[in-house]
Amino acid sequence: MRPELSRRQFIQTTGAAGFGLAATRLARGASLFEPGPVRVLSIGVIGTIGGADREQVAAHPEAQIVGLCDVDANSLARASEDHPDAFTCTDYREAFARHGDAFDAVIVSTPDHSHAPIALTALAHDKHVYGQKPLVHQLEEIALVERAIAAKPDLVTQVGNQRMAYPGRRAAVEILRSGVLGRALEAHAWTGAPGPDPYFNFEHHLSAPVRPPEHIDFDLWLGPCQERPYREDLLPVKWRSWWDFGSGGLGDWSVHVLDVIFFGFDELTSPMSVVTHAQHPADTFHTHHCRSTITYAVDSDAFAGKRFAIHYSDRNQAPSRAALGLPGDRWPDSNMTVVVCEGGVLSLTAGGGLEIWRDGELTDGLALPGLPEFGELNHWHAWIDNIVGVPTELRTPFRDGARITEAALLAVKASRFPGQELLWDKAALAFTNHAEATDTVVRRDYRTGFAPPEVG
């Protein structure tokens, strides 16, 4: 059994950066690294549709929103009503070029395809970054982000993973890390998405090209993607179903169901292979009804063998409870994480409902002996706290977000080659047994002026 981590060790191992920074508060135009009087942390927001991110961060007593950037003039105007003194612009590049001295941290709440160009621009300008999930859109961008955070170790980063504040999810991490359930055999994670809801183009309906609305700068919205016509079923949110812009259900929910597996096992660095069974993919959209197996080579007493597989599915394709030794026939949620160990099964809902099953007997996960107290945790405020030098449990820094996103993107990208095992070499950014996959799903041909910068 691996020793139980103390609370201090637990926080340190989750990658919370910036604990050594002075508790400096910042005003517009100030630098985090300059000594001076107590000020307030100034934050720029790129993508104002993410109202919860903006509202939660603005509620922190040591933070203020000083800038707003959005390609949607209507959304920008609504956000400006809440922050009338903030500068406004439509182009994120202008935000950094003209207003970069006004802010020291950035919230990136934009569609998936523009996450990496904006976040990496922020890191290149020495800005702390809160970025929405999934962390990036292309496999190559994971390597770009990892190099950037290695080059900028004092910058505090956080992926939008608010569900990790739930006590049950934090307890699940400690249970896995302690080894109290014995060596791990396999993991299962699944999401009910995509569904026939406002967030996905569930039926893959491709409407006719039309002129973009007057309030949308569609060219800026496209950003790194190649030019194409505007279609009414693309904005404001159904881009999630589009191959070039979103990540489907597997990508959209990945950080909320895969996270605990990676927090529980530091040994899961980069997969060796992926295979996704899926319906025949469409050219424009992500397919759904995907079942993916992501395999890791491991050499640790935390695992029962030399290979560890994560089975990740969409459309509520859950494993058999009977096959896992669990009674009943229904799982408690459509978004779940299950880790099977030699001494029991950990079952966790996205909302933090934690069950431990041993020999078919149920134990309340939060009632296991030896767990610390899990006090209230504000996911957004933890990011601010760590920037200003107040050590707070931080979930999910980009270091961990990169591992989670790599697994998710491999599952997503492999759906273009249904049923084919793809052998992954992260160092080479290549599928060693599949040249076509390497050439088509690892990287993007960025449009001139929108490529992410190389940092470090």
Side-chain angles (χ1 to χ4, degrees):
M1 178 182 298
R2 292 183 292 177
E4 183 174 321
L5 298 177
S6 69
R7 169 57 57 199
R8 182 177 182 85
Q9 291 170 323
F10 175 65
I11 294 173
Q12 289 174 339
T13 57
T14 65
F19 285 2
L21 298 176
T24 307
R25 305 175 193 172
L26 305 172
R28 183 179 304 185
S31 168
L32 179 63
F33 307 107
E34 293 176 359
V38 175
R39 303 171 190 156
V40 176
L41 182 72
S42 295
I43 299 170
V45 178
I46 302 176
T48 57
I49 195 171
D53 295 340
R54 178 166 41 85
E55 292 163 9
Q56 288 284 341
V57 168
H60 193 290
E62 299 181 4
Q64 63 177 348
I65 304 297
V66 302
L68 302 167
C69 178
D70 203 302
V71 302
D72 184 333
N74 290 349
S75 180
L76 190 61
R78 289 191 294 269
S80 294
E81 293 176 0
D82 297 328
H83 311 283
D85 295 328
F87 72 79
T88 61
C89 59
T90 58
D91 190 334
Y92 76 88
R93 299 168 300 182
E94 178 187 352
F96 291 101
R98 293 187 57 191
H99 306 284
D101 290 340
F103 58 94
D104 293 271
V106 177
I107 298 172
V108 181
S109 293
T110 62
D112 300 357
H113 67 282
S114 58
H115 285 179
I118 299 173
L120 284 162
T121 299
L123 293 171
H125 283 78
D126 292 314
K127 310 299 182 186
H128 307 277
V129 185
Y130 179 100
Q132 262 305 334
K133 47 77 185 178
L135 177 59
V136 297
H137 190 252
Q138 301 292 320
L139 288 163
E140 181 187 41
E141 293 170 347
I142 294 168
L144 294 177
V145 168
E146 289 180 330
R147 287 197 291 271
I149 59 176
K152 307 280 186 173
D154 290 329
L155 297 179
V156 182
T157 58
Q158 173 85 311
V159 180
N161 188 13
Q162 70 278 6
R163 288 175 175 82
M164 269 307 302
Y166 296 135
R169 301 191 68 78
R170 292 148 68 195
V173 173
E174 297 225 7
I175 291 168
L176 293 176
R177 294 187 71 86
S178 73
V180 68
L181 296 180
R183 298 182 299 176
L185 297 168
E186 62 181 356
H188 299 264
W190 64 96
T191 175
D197 56 44
Y199 290 97
F200 294 95
N201 187 334
F202 183 71
E203 297 179 347
H204 292 176
H205 172 67
L206 187 63
S207 62
V210 295
R211 182 184 297 276
E214 291 297 326
H215 64 278
I216 299 288
D217 189 324
F218 187 57
D219 183 72
L220 287 178
W221 188 92
L222 285 172
C225 299
Q226 299 303 310
E227 294 182 12
R228 73 201 57 212
Y230 177 82
R231 299 175 190 270
E232 289 183 344
D233 54 2
L234 179 58
L235 299 180
V237 293
K238 289 191 175 181
W239 49 262
R240 287 176 172 83
S241 291
W242 292 59
W243 182 265
D244 285 343
F245 308 126
S247 306
L250 289 178
D252 189 54
W253 268 89
S254 58
V255 75
H256 299 311
V257 293
L258 294 176
D259 52 357
V260 164
I261 302 169
F262 289 92
F263 293 141
F265 302 110
D266 292 335
E267 299 90 340
L268 301 178
T269 53
S270 182
M272 60 180 293
S273 72
V274 61
V275 57
T276 298
H277 298 275
Q279 296 178 354
H280 185 72
D283 290 336
T284 303
F285 300 101
H286 289 279
T287 189
H288 50 80
H289 286 85
C290 296
R291 291 183 296 107
S292 185
T293 299
I294 309 143
T295 302
Y296 289 77
V298 292
D299 186 11
S300 165
D301 60 6
F303 302 96
K306 297 298 184 182
R307 299 288 184 268
F308 184 76
I310 300 174
H311 305 281
Y312 185 33
S313 303
D314 64 8
R315 297 290 295 141
N316 203 23
Q317 296 181 89
S320 162
R321 289 178 64 88
L324 301 183
L326 307 186
D329 61 353
R330 293 184 182 275
W331 294 95
D333 194 9
S334 60
N335 301 292
M336 295 284 303
T337 307
V338 172
V339 181
V340 183
C341 302
E342 290 180 324
V345 176
L346 181 149
S347 170
L348 179 69
T349 70
L354 176 60
E355 298 177 344
I356 302 297
W357 293 89
R358 289 167 163 158
D359 298 324
E361 297 294 325
L362 172 63
T363 300
D364 180 354
L366 284 169
L368 287 183
L371 289 175
E373 293 292 326
F374 296 100
E376 183 176 350
L377 176 66
N378 185 300
H379 162 77
W380 295 268
H381 289 192
W383 177 58
I384 302 296
D385 287 345
N386 281 284
I387 294 174
V388 300
V390 179
T392 304
E393 186 178 326
L394 187 66
R395 303 288 189 181
T396 303
F398 281 10
R399 186 188 71 181
D400 292 316
R403 293 194 296 144
I404 297 165
T405 306
E406 182 181 7
L409 288 186
L410 283 169
V412 170
K413 304 299 185 183
S415 70
R416 281 289 160 110
F417 305 94
Q420 300 181 51
E421 186 101 26
L422 304 180
L423 305 181
W424 176 237
D425 181 347
K426 182 181 180 182
L429 288 174
F431 295 104
T432 58
N433 67 329
H434 207 299
E436 182 184 358
T438 299
D439 291 341
T440 57
V441 301
V442 172
R443 53 182 54 82
R444 144 174 294 131
D445 182 14
Y446 297 100
R447 197 155 56 111
T448 300
F450 292 95
E454 179 75 47
V455 184

